[in-house]
Amino acid sequence: MLNGLIIIGIILWLYLLSVLNRANLIGFHFWVGSVGLFAIMAFISRAVSTL
């Protein structure tokens, strides 16, 4: 269901969120988190709906 590219993308997204959190960039942390979560949920829902 989840292929390797989505899993690698999730890992990179989480790493980017941790870097932004350590840099105290609250606005960028919010936007990257929101857009990334939207993209991840869109890919996962597309994969589930094609079953």
mmCIF file of all heavy atoms in Angstrom:
data_model
loop_
_atom_site.group_PDB
_atom_site.id
_atom_site.type_symbol
_atom_site.label_atom_id
_atom_site.label_comp_id
_atom_site.label_asym_id
_atom_site.label_seq_id
_atom_site.Cartn_x
_atom_site.Cartn_y
_atom_site.Cartn_z
ATOM 1 N N MET A 1 0.824 -1.187 0.000
ATOM 2 C CA MET A 1 0.000 0.000 0.000
ATOM 3 C C MET A 1 0.874 1.258 0.000
ATOM 4 O O MET A 1 0.720 2.119 -0.843
ATOM 5 C CB MET A 1 -0.932 0.001 1.209
ATOM 6 C CG MET A 1 -1.905 1.142 1.208
ATOM 7 S SD MET A 1 -3.257 0.964 2.359
ATOM 8 C CE MET A 1 -2.466 1.225 3.905
ATOM 9 N N LEU A 2 1.769 1.374 0.950
ATOM 10 C CA LEU A 2 2.682 2.509 0.963
ATOM 11 C C LEU A 2 3.989 2.100 0.296
ATOM 12 O O LEU A 2 4.651 1.189 0.743
ATOM 13 C CB LEU A 2 2.971 2.952 2.399
ATOM 14 C CG LEU A 2 1.821 3.570 3.172
ATOM 15 C CD1 LEU A 2 2.246 3.853 4.594
ATOM 16 C CD2 LEU A 2 1.355 4.835 2.517
ATOM 17 N N ASN A 3 4.348 2.761 -0.761
ATOM 18 C CA ASN A 3 5.601 2.397 -1.402
ATOM 19 C C ASN A 3 6.770 3.134 -0.748
ATOM 20 O O ASN A 3 6.597 3.969 0.137
ATOM 21 C CB ASN A 3 5.535 2.665 -2.908
ATOM 22 C CG ASN A 3 5.246 4.099 -3.230
ATOM 23 O OD1 ASN A 3 5.276 4.948 -2.366
ATOM 24 N ND2 ASN A 3 4.980 4.360 -4.489
ATOM 25 N N GLY A 4 7.955 2.817 -1.178
ATOM 26 C CA GLY A 4 9.157 3.343 -0.552
ATOM 27 C C GLY A 4 9.308 4.845 -0.655
ATOM 28 O O GLY A 4 9.842 5.486 0.253
ATOM 29 N N LEU A 5 8.843 5.434 -1.750
ATOM 30 C CA LEU A 5 8.992 6.887 -1.913
ATOM 31 C C LEU A 5 8.165 7.656 -0.893
ATOM 32 O O LEU A 5 8.608 8.696 -0.386
ATOM 33 C CB LEU A 5 8.590 7.297 -3.329
ATOM 34 C CG LEU A 5 9.542 6.862 -4.440
ATOM 35 C CD1 LEU A 5 8.997 7.262 -5.794
ATOM 36 C CD2 LEU A 5 10.917 7.455 -4.215
ATOM 37 N N ILE A 6 6.981 7.161 -0.586
ATOM 38 C CA ILE A 6 6.153 7.848 0.409
ATOM 39 C C ILE A 6 6.792 7.742 1.782
ATOM 40 O O ILE A 6 6.828 8.721 2.539
ATOM 41 C CB ILE A 6 4.717 7.270 0.400
ATOM 42 C CG1 ILE A 6 4.034 7.585 -0.913
ATOM 43 C CG2 ILE A 6 3.911 7.845 1.556
ATOM 44 C CD1 ILE A 6 2.664 6.972 -1.072
ATOM 45 N N ILE A 7 7.336 6.595 2.114
ATOM 46 C CA ILE A 7 7.974 6.416 3.421
ATOM 47 C C ILE A 7 9.218 7.285 3.539
ATOM 48 O O ILE A 7 9.438 7.935 4.566
ATOM 49 C CB ILE A 7 8.284 4.925 3.657
ATOM 50 C CG1 ILE A 7 6.982 4.145 3.771
ATOM 51 C CG2 ILE A 7 9.138 4.743 4.904
ATOM 52 C CD1 ILE A 7 7.141 2.660 3.832
ATOM 53 N N ILE A 8 10.021 7.351 2.481
ATOM 54 C CA ILE A 8 11.200 8.221 2.493
ATOM 55 C C ILE A 8 10.780 9.683 2.597
ATOM 56 O O ILE A 8 11.394 10.474 3.325
ATOM 57 C CB ILE A 8 12.070 7.971 1.244
ATOM 58 C CG1 ILE A 8 12.706 6.588 1.335
ATOM 59 C CG2 ILE A 8 13.132 9.043 1.088
ATOM 60 C CD1 ILE A 8 13.421 6.157 0.093
ATOM 61 N N GLY A 9 9.724 10.059 1.906
ATOM 62 C CA GLY A 9 9.210 11.422 1.990
ATOM 63 C C GLY A 9 8.737 11.774 3.391
ATOM 64 O O GLY A 9 8.968 12.887 3.872
ATOM 65 N N ILE A 10 8.088 10.836 4.072
ATOM 66 C CA ILE A 10 7.632 11.074 5.442
ATOM 67 C C ILE A 10 8.820 11.255 6.372
ATOM 68 O O ILE A 10 8.821 12.148 7.234
ATOM 69 C CB ILE A 10 6.719 9.922 5.912
ATOM 70 C CG1 ILE A 10 5.400 9.947 5.151
ATOM 71 C CG2 ILE A 10 6.464 10.003 7.413
ATOM 72 C CD1 ILE A 10 4.517 8.748 5.393
ATOM 73 N N ILE A 11 9.855 10.454 6.196
ATOM 74 C CA ILE A 11 11.047 10.564 7.043
ATOM 75 C C ILE A 11 11.729 11.910 6.821
ATOM 76 O O ILE A 11 12.124 12.588 7.779
ATOM 77 C CB ILE A 11 11.999 9.385 6.786
ATOM 78 C CG1 ILE A 11 11.367 8.093 7.294
ATOM 79 C CG2 ILE A 11 13.354 9.612 7.437
ATOM 80 C CD1 ILE A 11 12.096 6.841 6.879
ATOM 81 N N LEU A 12 11.871 12.328 5.562
ATOM 82 C CA LEU A 12 12.481 13.630 5.274
ATOM 83 C C LEU A 12 11.636 14.785 5.804
ATOM 84 O O LEU A 12 12.170 15.774 6.311
ATOM 85 C CB LEU A 12 12.703 13.782 3.768
ATOM 86 C CG LEU A 12 13.794 12.909 3.164
ATOM 87 C CD1 LEU A 12 13.795 13.056 1.649
ATOM 88 C CD2 LEU A 12 15.140 13.255 3.745
ATOM 89 N N TRP A 13 10.315 14.646 5.708
ATOM 90 C CA TRP A 13 9.415 15.678 6.223
ATOM 91 C C TRP A 13 9.558 15.811 7.736
ATOM 92 O O TRP A 13 9.622 16.927 8.264
ATOM 93 C CB TRP A 13 7.988 15.317 5.828
ATOM 94 C CG TRP A 13 6.921 16.182 6.398
ATOM 95 C CD1 TRP A 13 6.692 17.491 6.125
ATOM 96 C CD2 TRP A 13 5.945 15.798 7.358
ATOM 97 N NE1 TRP A 13 5.613 17.942 6.841
ATOM 98 C CE2 TRP A 13 5.134 16.913 7.607
ATOM 99 C CE3 TRP A 13 5.657 14.602 8.008
ATOM 100 C CZ2 TRP A 13 4.078 16.872 8.490
ATOM 101 C CZ3 TRP A 13 4.589 14.564 8.889
ATOM 102 C CH2 TRP A 13 3.824 15.683 9.124
ATOM 103 N N LEU A 14 9.620 14.682 8.446
ATOM 104 C CA LEU A 14 9.803 14.722 9.893
ATOM 105 C C LEU A 14 11.152 15.323 10.273
ATOM 106 O O LEU A 14 11.253 16.084 11.250
ATOM 107 C CB LEU A 14 9.656 13.320 10.490
ATOM 108 C CG LEU A 14 8.240 12.755 10.501
ATOM 109 C CD1 LEU A 14 8.262 11.305 10.942
ATOM 110 C CD2 LEU A 14 7.341 13.593 11.364
ATOM 111 N N TYR A 15 12.198 15.001 9.507
ATOM 112 C CA TYR A 15 13.509 15.585 9.779
ATOM 113 C C TYR A 15 13.487 17.097 9.570
ATOM 114 O O TYR A 15 14.031 17.852 10.375
ATOM 115 C CB TYR A 15 14.578 14.937 8.899
ATOM 116 C CG TYR A 15 15.938 15.554 9.097
ATOM 117 C CD1 TYR A 15 16.655 15.307 10.255
ATOM 118 C CD2 TYR A 15 16.493 16.392 8.143
ATOM 119 C CE1 TYR A 15 17.895 15.887 10.464
ATOM 120 C CE2 TYR A 15 17.725 16.971 8.334
ATOM 121 C CZ TYR A 15 18.427 16.711 9.492
ATOM 122 O OH TYR A 15 19.649 17.292 9.696
ATOM 123 N N LEU A 16 12.849 17.545 8.493
ATOM 124 C CA LEU A 16 12.747 18.983 8.236
ATOM 125 C C LEU A 16 11.962 19.681 9.339
ATOM 126 O O LEU A 16 12.318 20.790 9.767
ATOM 127 C CB LEU A 16 12.092 19.228 6.880
ATOM 128 C CG LEU A 16 11.964 20.672 6.431
ATOM 129 C CD1 LEU A 16 13.331 21.329 6.326
ATOM 130 C CD2 LEU A 16 11.242 20.746 5.111
ATOM 131 N N LEU A 17 10.913 19.047 9.849
ATOM 132 C CA LEU A 17 10.165 19.632 10.955
ATOM 133 C C LEU A 17 11.023 19.752 12.205
ATOM 134 O O LEU A 17 10.945 20.747 12.930
ATOM 135 C CB LEU A 17 8.918 18.796 11.255
ATOM 136 C CG LEU A 17 7.744 18.979 10.311
ATOM 137 C CD1 LEU A 17 6.619 18.042 10.704
ATOM 138 C CD2 LEU A 17 7.272 20.399 10.290
ATOM 139 N N SER A 18 11.858 18.752 12.468
ATOM 140 C CA SER A 18 12.713 18.829 13.656
ATOM 141 C C SER A 18 13.770 19.919 13.499
ATOM 142 O O SER A 18 14.090 20.614 14.464
ATOM 143 C CB SER A 18 13.371 17.476 13.934
ATOM 144 O OG SER A 18 14.330 17.176 12.954
ATOM 145 N N VAL A 19 14.308 20.103 12.294
ATOM 146 C CA VAL A 19 15.289 21.162 12.053
ATOM 147 C C VAL A 19 14.648 22.532 12.232
ATOM 148 O O VAL A 19 15.218 23.426 12.869
ATOM 149 C CB VAL A 19 15.900 21.024 10.640
ATOM 150 C CG1 VAL A 19 16.689 22.260 10.259
ATOM 151 C CG2 VAL A 19 16.774 19.790 10.569
ATOM 152 N N LEU A 20 13.449 22.711 11.703
ATOM 153 C CA LEU A 20 12.762 23.989 11.857
ATOM 154 C C LEU A 20 12.390 24.251 13.309
ATOM 155 O O LEU A 20 12.405 25.403 13.758
ATOM 156 C CB LEU A 20 11.511 24.021 10.970
ATOM 157 C CG LEU A 20 11.769 24.084 9.469
ATOM 158 C CD1 LEU A 20 10.467 23.943 8.706
ATOM 159 C CD2 LEU A 20 12.486 25.363 9.100
ATOM 160 N N ASN A 21 12.075 23.210 14.047
ATOM 161 C CA ASN A 21 11.748 23.381 15.461
ATOM 162 C C ASN A 21 12.983 23.796 16.257
ATOM 163 O O ASN A 21 12.909 24.676 17.114
ATOM 164 C CB ASN A 21 11.158 22.086 16.012
ATOM 165 C CG ASN A 21 10.538 22.265 17.371
ATOM 166 O OD1 ASN A 21 10.146 23.363 17.721
ATOM 167 N ND2 ASN A 21 10.449 21.195 18.122
ATOM 168 N N ARG A 22 14.136 23.176 15.964
ATOM 169 C CA ARG A 22 15.366 23.531 16.665
ATOM 170 C C ARG A 22 15.831 24.942 16.316
ATOM 171 O O ARG A 22 16.477 25.607 17.118
ATOM 172 C CB ARG A 22 16.475 22.535 16.357
ATOM 173 C CG ARG A 22 16.310 21.222 17.110
ATOM 174 C CD ARG A 22 17.454 20.301 16.852
ATOM 175 N NE ARG A 22 17.148 19.561 15.621
ATOM 176 C CZ ARG A 22 18.043 19.150 14.747
ATOM 177 N NH1 ARG A 22 19.316 19.407 14.948
ATOM 178 N NH2 ARG A 22 17.687 18.490 13.684
ATOM 179 N N ALA A 23 15.504 25.412 15.115
ATOM 180 C CA ALA A 23 15.902 26.751 14.686
ATOM 181 C C ALA A 23 14.918 27.819 15.161
ATOM 182 O O ALA A 23 15.129 29.000 14.887
ATOM 183 C CB ALA A 23 16.016 26.796 13.171
ATOM 184 N N ASN A 24 13.875 27.398 15.865
ATOM 185 C CA ASN A 24 12.835 28.307 16.385
ATOM 186 C C ASN A 24 12.168 29.119 15.279
ATOM 187 O O ASN A 24 11.880 30.303 15.442
ATOM 188 C CB ASN A 24 13.398 29.241 17.457
ATOM 189 C CG ASN A 24 13.721 28.500 18.726
ATOM 190 O OD1 ASN A 24 13.053 27.530 19.059
ATOM 191 N ND2 ASN A 24 14.754 28.941 19.415
ATOM 192 N N LEU A 25 11.933 28.500 14.144
ATOM 193 C CA LEU A 25 11.218 29.137 13.040
ATOM 194 C C LEU A 25 9.771 28.641 13.076
ATOM 195 O O LEU A 25 9.375 27.716 12.356
ATOM 196 C CB LEU A 25 11.873 28.796 11.706
ATOM 197 C CG LEU A 25 13.310 29.290 11.552
ATOM 198 C CD1 LEU A 25 13.928 28.725 10.285
ATOM 199 C CD2 LEU A 25 13.349 30.800 11.550
ATOM 200 N N ILE A 26 8.989 29.259 13.932
ATOM 201 C CA ILE A 26 7.646 28.771 14.229
ATOM 202 C C ILE A 26 6.736 28.845 12.996
ATOM 203 O O ILE A 26 5.981 27.912 12.717
ATOM 204 C CB ILE A 26 7.031 29.562 15.408
ATOM 205 C CG1 ILE A 26 7.958 29.525 16.623
ATOM 206 C CG2 ILE A 26 5.657 29.035 15.766
ATOM 207 C CD1 ILE A 26 8.250 28.146 17.136
ATOM 208 N N GLY A 27 6.807 29.938 12.251
ATOM 209 C CA GLY A 27 5.955 30.093 11.079
ATOM 210 C C GLY A 27 6.256 29.061 9.999
ATOM 211 O O GLY A 27 5.343 28.442 9.448
ATOM 212 N N PHE A 28 7.540 28.875 9.701
ATOM 213 C CA PHE A 28 7.921 27.872 8.707
ATOM 214 C C PHE A 28 7.589 26.467 9.196
ATOM 215 O O PHE A 28 7.183 25.606 8.408
ATOM 216 C CB PHE A 28 9.412 27.961 8.382
ATOM 217 C CG PHE A 28 9.758 29.142 7.526
ATOM 218 C CD1 PHE A 28 10.590 30.134 8.009
ATOM 219 C CD2 PHE A 28 9.249 29.259 6.248
ATOM 220 C CE1 PHE A 28 10.914 31.224 7.232
ATOM 221 C CE2 PHE A 28 9.566 30.344 5.451
ATOM 222 C CZ PHE A 28 10.401 31.337 5.957
ATOM 223 N N HIS A 29 7.748 26.227 10.484
ATOM 224 C CA HIS A 29 7.413 24.927 11.056
ATOM 225 C C HIS A 29 5.933 24.623 10.846
ATOM 226 O O HIS A 29 5.555 23.513 10.461
ATOM 227 C CB HIS A 29 7.762 24.916 12.552
ATOM 228 C CG HIS A 29 7.530 23.618 13.219
ATOM 229 N ND1 HIS A 29 6.365 23.327 13.883
ATOM 230 C CD2 HIS A 29 8.315 22.513 13.327
ATOM 231 C CE1 HIS A 29 6.442 22.112 14.378
ATOM 232 N NE2 HIS A 29 7.615 21.599 14.049
ATOM 233 N N PHE A 30 5.082 25.620 11.077
ATOM 234 C CA PHE A 30 3.646 25.451 10.882
ATOM 235 C C PHE A 30 3.310 25.169 9.423
ATOM 236 O O PHE A 30 2.546 24.246 9.117
ATOM 237 C CB PHE A 30 2.896 26.696 11.366
ATOM 238 C CG PHE A 30 1.435 26.660 11.061
ATOM 239 C CD1 PHE A 30 0.578 25.895 11.830
ATOM 240 C CD2 PHE A 30 0.916 27.380 9.999
ATOM 241 C CE1 PHE A 30 -0.778 25.852 11.543
ATOM 242 C CE2 PHE A 30 -0.429 27.351 9.710
ATOM 243 C CZ PHE A 30 -1.286 26.579 10.479
ATOM 244 N N TRP A 31 3.869 25.974 8.517
ATOM 245 C CA TRP A 31 3.535 25.813 7.096
ATOM 246 C C TRP A 31 4.053 24.507 6.524
ATOM 247 O O TRP A 31 3.336 23.823 5.782
ATOM 248 C CB TRP A 31 4.065 26.997 6.283
ATOM 249 C CG TRP A 31 3.192 28.197 6.451
ATOM 250 C CD1 TRP A 31 3.485 29.310 7.175
ATOM 251 C CD2 TRP A 31 1.884 28.388 5.927
ATOM 252 N NE1 TRP A 31 2.425 30.183 7.120
ATOM 253 C CE2 TRP A 31 1.428 29.646 6.360
ATOM 254 C CE3 TRP A 31 1.060 27.610 5.133
ATOM 255 C CZ2 TRP A 31 0.180 30.135 6.024
ATOM 256 C CZ3 TRP A 31 -0.195 28.111 4.801
ATOM 257 C CH2 TRP A 31 -0.618 29.352 5.242
ATOM 258 N N VAL A 32 5.289 24.152 6.846
ATOM 259 C CA VAL A 32 5.843 22.887 6.344
ATOM 260 C C VAL A 32 5.051 21.718 6.922
ATOM 261 O O VAL A 32 4.754 20.742 6.224
ATOM 262 C CB VAL A 32 7.349 22.780 6.684
ATOM 263 C CG1 VAL A 32 7.870 21.389 6.414
ATOM 264 C CG2 VAL A 32 8.126 23.803 5.892
ATOM 265 N N GLY A 33 4.674 21.817 8.189
ATOM 266 C CA GLY A 33 3.887 20.757 8.804
ATOM 267 C C GLY A 33 2.514 20.624 8.170
ATOM 268 O O GLY A 33 2.057 19.513 7.876
ATOM 269 N N SER A 34 1.852 21.733 7.924
ATOM 270 C CA SER A 34 0.507 21.699 7.344
ATOM 271 C C SER A 34 0.514 21.191 5.903
ATOM 272 O O SER A 34 -0.275 20.312 5.541
ATOM 273 C CB SER A 34 -0.113 23.092 7.381
ATOM 274 O OG SER A 34 -0.238 23.539 8.698
ATOM 275 N N VAL A 35 1.399 21.737 5.100
ATOM 276 C CA VAL A 35 1.454 21.334 3.691
ATOM 277 C C VAL A 35 1.929 19.884 3.567
ATOM 278 O O VAL A 35 1.399 19.107 2.770
ATOM 279 C CB VAL A 35 2.356 22.293 2.888
ATOM 280 C CG1 VAL A 35 2.602 21.783 1.485
ATOM 281 C CG2 VAL A 35 1.741 23.673 2.857
ATOM 282 N N GLY A 36 2.904 19.510 4.378
ATOM 283 C CA GLY A 36 3.396 18.135 4.337
ATOM 284 C C GLY A 36 2.348 17.133 4.765
ATOM 285 O O GLY A 36 2.187 16.082 4.141
ATOM 286 N N LEU A 37 1.612 17.448 5.825
ATOM 287 C CA LEU A 37 0.559 16.539 6.276
ATOM 288 C C LEU A 37 -0.537 16.419 5.229
ATOM 289 O O LEU A 37 -1.055 15.325 4.980
ATOM 290 C CB LEU A 37 -0.019 17.014 7.602
ATOM 291 C CG LEU A 37 -1.039 16.105 8.247
ATOM 292 C CD1 LEU A 37 -0.408 14.753 8.576
ATOM 293 C CD2 LEU A 37 -1.604 16.744 9.492
ATOM 294 N N PHE A 38 -0.889 17.529 4.586
ATOM 295 C CA PHE A 38 -1.888 17.481 3.515
ATOM 296 C C PHE A 38 -1.426 16.589 2.377
ATOM 297 O O PHE A 38 -2.186 15.760 1.870
ATOM 298 C CB PHE A 38 -2.179 18.889 2.998
ATOM 299 C CG PHE A 38 -3.138 18.913 1.852
ATOM 300 C CD1 PHE A 38 -4.491 18.779 2.073
ATOM 301 C CD2 PHE A 38 -2.674 19.062 0.556
ATOM 302 C CE1 PHE A 38 -5.379 18.785 1.012
ATOM 303 C CE2 PHE A 38 -3.550 19.078 -0.514
ATOM 304 C CZ PHE A 38 -4.914 18.939 -0.282
ATOM 305 N N ALA A 39 -0.162 16.734 1.963
ATOM 306 C CA ALA A 39 0.356 15.933 0.853
ATOM 307 C C ALA A 39 0.412 14.453 1.222
ATOM 308 O O ALA A 39 0.045 13.591 0.412
ATOM 309 C CB ALA A 39 1.747 16.433 0.466
ATOM 310 N N ILE A 40 0.853 14.156 2.439
ATOM 311 C CA ILE A 40 0.931 12.768 2.875
ATOM 312 C C ILE A 40 -0.458 12.136 2.909
ATOM 313 O O ILE A 40 -0.660 11.012 2.431
ATOM 314 C CB ILE A 40 1.626 12.674 4.242
ATOM 315 C CG1 ILE A 40 3.106 13.002 4.098
ATOM 316 C CG2 ILE A 40 1.447 11.293 4.868
ATOM 317 C CD1 ILE A 40 3.813 13.242 5.414
ATOM 318 N N MET A 41 -1.424 12.850 3.465
ATOM 319 C CA MET A 41 -2.780 12.312 3.531
ATOM 320 C C MET A 41 -3.380 12.148 2.130
ATOM 321 O O MET A 41 -4.131 11.201 1.880
ATOM 322 C CB MET A 41 -3.668 13.205 4.395
ATOM 323 C CG MET A 41 -3.227 13.265 5.850
ATOM 324 S SD MET A 41 -3.109 11.651 6.609
ATOM 325 C CE MET A 41 -4.796 11.360 6.985
ATOM 326 N N ALA A 42 -3.048 13.042 1.206
ATOM 327 C CA ALA A 42 -3.552 12.915 -0.160
ATOM 328 C C ALA A 42 -2.965 11.683 -0.833
ATOM 329 O O ALA A 42 -3.697 10.932 -1.507
ATOM 330 C CB ALA A 42 -3.206 14.166 -0.961
ATOM 331 N N PHE A 43 -1.672 11.430 -0.663
ATOM 332 C CA PHE A 43 -1.057 10.238 -1.261
ATOM 333 C C PHE A 43 -1.594 8.964 -0.639
ATOM 334 O O PHE A 43 -1.875 7.990 -1.339
ATOM 335 C CB PHE A 43 0.461 10.272 -1.118
ATOM 336 C CG PHE A 43 1.134 11.190 -2.097
ATOM 337 C CD1 PHE A 43 1.905 12.247 -1.657
ATOM 338 C CD2 PHE A 43 0.986 10.993 -3.462
ATOM 339 C CE1 PHE A 43 2.524 13.088 -2.552
ATOM 340 C CE2 PHE A 43 1.616 11.833 -4.364
ATOM 341 C CZ PHE A 43 2.365 12.881 -3.913
ATOM 342 N N ILE A 44 -1.771 8.956 0.673
ATOM 343 C CA ILE A 44 -2.274 7.751 1.338
ATOM 344 C C ILE A 44 -3.720 7.487 0.957
ATOM 345 O O ILE A 44 -4.100 6.347 0.688
ATOM 346 C CB ILE A 44 -2.092 7.864 2.865
ATOM 347 C CG1 ILE A 44 -0.610 7.793 3.218
ATOM 348 C CG2 ILE A 44 -2.851 6.760 3.586
ATOM 349 C CD1 ILE A 44 -0.305 8.026 4.669
ATOM 350 N N SER A 45 -4.549 8.526 0.904
ATOM 351 C CA SER A 45 -5.954 8.320 0.548
ATOM 352 C C SER A 45 -6.081 7.886 -0.902
ATOM 353 O O SER A 45 -6.975 7.107 -1.246
ATOM 354 C CB SER A 45 -6.769 9.574 0.810
ATOM 355 O OG SER A 45 -6.371 10.606 -0.053
ATOM 356 N N ARG A 46 -5.185 8.380 -1.778
ATOM 357 C CA ARG A 46 -5.215 7.940 -3.176
ATOM 358 C C ARG A 46 -4.858 6.467 -3.275
ATOM 359 O O ARG A 46 -5.472 5.723 -4.028
ATOM 360 C CB ARG A 46 -4.258 8.770 -4.016
ATOM 361 C CG ARG A 46 -4.406 8.486 -5.508
ATOM 362 C CD ARG A 46 -3.345 9.167 -6.290
ATOM 363 N NE ARG A 46 -2.087 8.458 -6.009
ATOM 364 C CZ ARG A 46 -0.926 8.795 -6.521
ATOM 365 N NH1 ARG A 46 -0.826 9.840 -7.268
ATOM 366 N NH2 ARG A 46 0.150 8.095 -6.245
ATOM 367 N N ALA A 47 -3.874 6.039 -2.471
ATOM 368 C CA ALA A 47 -3.463 4.641 -2.499
ATOM 369 C C ALA A 47 -4.565 3.729 -1.961
ATOM 370 O O ALA A 47 -4.774 2.633 -2.467
ATOM 371 C CB ALA A 47 -2.174 4.455 -1.694
ATOM 372 N N VAL A 48 -5.279 4.184 -0.939
ATOM 373 C CA VAL A 48 -6.347 3.374 -0.364
ATOM 374 C C VAL A 48 -7.554 3.340 -1.284
ATOM 375 O O VAL A 48 -8.211 2.300 -1.423
ATOM 376 C CB VAL A 48 -6.728 3.924 1.038
ATOM 377 C CG1 VAL A 48 -7.979 3.257 1.565
ATOM 378 C CG2 VAL A 48 -5.587 3.722 2.006
ATOM 379 N N SER A 49 -7.878 4.437 -1.934
ATOM 380 C CA SER A 49 -9.068 4.489 -2.767
ATOM 381 C C SER A 49 -8.916 3.684 -4.062
ATOM 382 O O SER A 49 -9.915 3.350 -4.693
ATOM 383 C CB SER A 49 -9.421 5.931 -3.100
ATOM 384 O OG SER A 49 -8.431 6.504 -3.917
ATOM 385 N N THR A 50 -7.713 3.372 -4.475
ATOM 386 C CA THR A 50 -7.514 2.600 -5.706
ATOM 387 C C THR A 50 -7.533 1.102 -5.462
ATOM 388 O O THR A 50 -7.369 0.331 -6.394
ATOM 389 C CB THR A 50 -6.182 2.976 -6.386
ATOM 390 O OG1 THR A 50 -5.126 2.750 -5.479
ATOM 391 C CG2 THR A 50 -6.204 4.420 -6.837
ATOM 392 N N LEU A 51 -7.731 0.680 -4.215
ATOM 393 C CA LEU A 51 -7.765 -0.766 -3.929
ATOM 394 C C LEU A 51 -9.031 -1.393 -4.438
ATOM 395 O O LEU A 51 -10.069 -0.985 -4.468
ATOM 396 C CB LEU A 51 -7.635 -1.022 -2.432
ATOM 397 C CG LEU A 51 -6.263 -0.686 -1.847
ATOM 398 C CD1 LEU A 51 -6.289 -0.927 -0.340
ATOM 399 C CD2 LEU A 51 -5.202 -1.561 -2.476
#
